Amino acid sequence: MIIKSAELETVCGITSRLPENELPEFAFAGKSNVGKSSLINALMNRKSLARTSSQPGKTQTINFYLINGNMYYVDLPGYGYAKVSVEVKAKWGKMIERYLRKSEALRCVFLLIDIRHEPSANDRMMYDWIVENGYHPVIIATKLDKIKRSQTAKQVKLIRDTLGMEKDGVIIPFSAETKQGREEIWAYLEQYLETPEA
């Protein structure tokens, strides 16, 4: 996929009204320190359009990035950040749930999981939540460059088993450093753009 343009178009807070986009939306969910902003920047072919930070929990809004004038990347708030109050976490959760239930343009949800670790209780809850809302989440196993190549298959199986994924569930190992996995994610996006009913 050639990225010709990428711009932050809409930012929605807890009380904001969600945009009623007609172009396809692709949402990205994940734990606060899983590398979501780095992934989105890699997919946009930009270095810093999505804000990355050494301090987790920075994404506190739903951010809509217009890509090539024909689709949106939707950056959902990171979950599981310990320094955020229970009340704020609950509001973020409701905001994400409202988006999953109400967006008519949402085509696919990508759930990011750190390939180095077994999915957490929050990861499992988010996976089940996405499934309950009628989507088949694509798992992006981030931080691939942090493990040995020989460990990849074992860690992918751990993620699949812990989440209770179906055999045909998709897991794409990804590294923001080497960009490995980016072509596979782009191919997945293009598949939805070419056949909207997918």
Side-chain angles (χ1 to χ4, degrees):
M1 179 181 289
I2 298 171
I3 305 298
K4 296 176 181 176
S5 64
E7 59 183 293
L8 177 58
E9 184 177 275
T10 309
V11 176
C12 290
I14 289 167
T15 59
S16 302
R17 182 177 176 179
L18 292 168
E20 296 178 3
N21 294 321
E22 294 184 1
L23 296 174
E25 295 172 357
F26 300 93
F28 297 86
K31 220 160 38 176
S32 296
N33 58 350
V34 77
K36 188 155 49 66
S37 295
S38 297
L39 165 74
I40 291 173
N41 282 326
L43 291 177
M44 292 191 291
N45 238 358
R46 301 291 189 274
K47 286 188 176 177
S48 58
L49 191 52
R51 288 175 299 171
T52 59
S53 173
S54 57
Q55 186 180 6
K58 279 289 186 184
T59 305
Q60 300 180 15
T61 52
I62 299 179
N63 299 330
F64 293 78
Y65 296 91
L66 179 61
I67 309 299
N68 288 349
N70 69 349
M71 64 174 164
Y72 290 96
Y73 293 166
V74 183
D75 185 6
L76 300 175
Y79 55 83
Y81 183 44
K83 289 187 180 179
V84 174
S85 71
V86 173
E87 183 184 359
V88 170
K89 283 181 187 175
K91 286 180 179 177
W92 287 358
K94 286 179 182 175
M95 181 164 60
I96 294 171
E97 186 175 31
R98 180 165 59 107
Y99 170 70
L100 291 177
R101 285 186 174 169
K102 292 197 171 183
S103 174
E104 294 183 4
L106 181 56
R107 296 289 174 267
C108 180
V109 182
F110 293 90
L111 177 59
L112 281 63
I113 306 282
D114 189 328
I115 197 168
R116 299 172 298 176
H117 309 297
E118 179 179 345
S120 67
N122 279 327
D123 290 326
R124 296 195 299 273
M125 184 174 70
M126 179 57 75
Y127 178 83
D128 291 341
W129 211 9
I130 295 167
V131 171
E132 284 169 14
N133 278 282
Y135 297 96
H136 299 284
V138 174
I139 305 302
I140 300 178
T142 62
K143 309 198 179 189
L144 178 62
D145 53 286
K146 306 290 186 186
I147 65 171
K148 295 177 182 176
R149 187 174 294 182
S150 60
Q151 295 176 294
T152 303
K154 175 188 169 189
Q155 293 305 110
V156 166
K157 184 178 186 301
L158 177 64
I159 291 171
R160 186 180 296 281
D161 291 348
T162 304
L163 294 178
M165 294 178 68
E166 296 178 358
K167 287 184 179 179
D168 60 350
V170 179
I171 300 179
I172 302 174
F174 172 80
S175 165
E177 293 292 322
T178 67
K179 305 299 185 287
Q180 184 175 339
R182 182 170 65 176
E183 296 292 334
E184 289 90 332
I185 299 168
W186 276 343
Y188 215 85
L189 292 167
E190 286 175 335
Q191 167 190 318
Y192 275 90
L193 290 174
E194 290 167 9
T195 54
E197 65 276 6

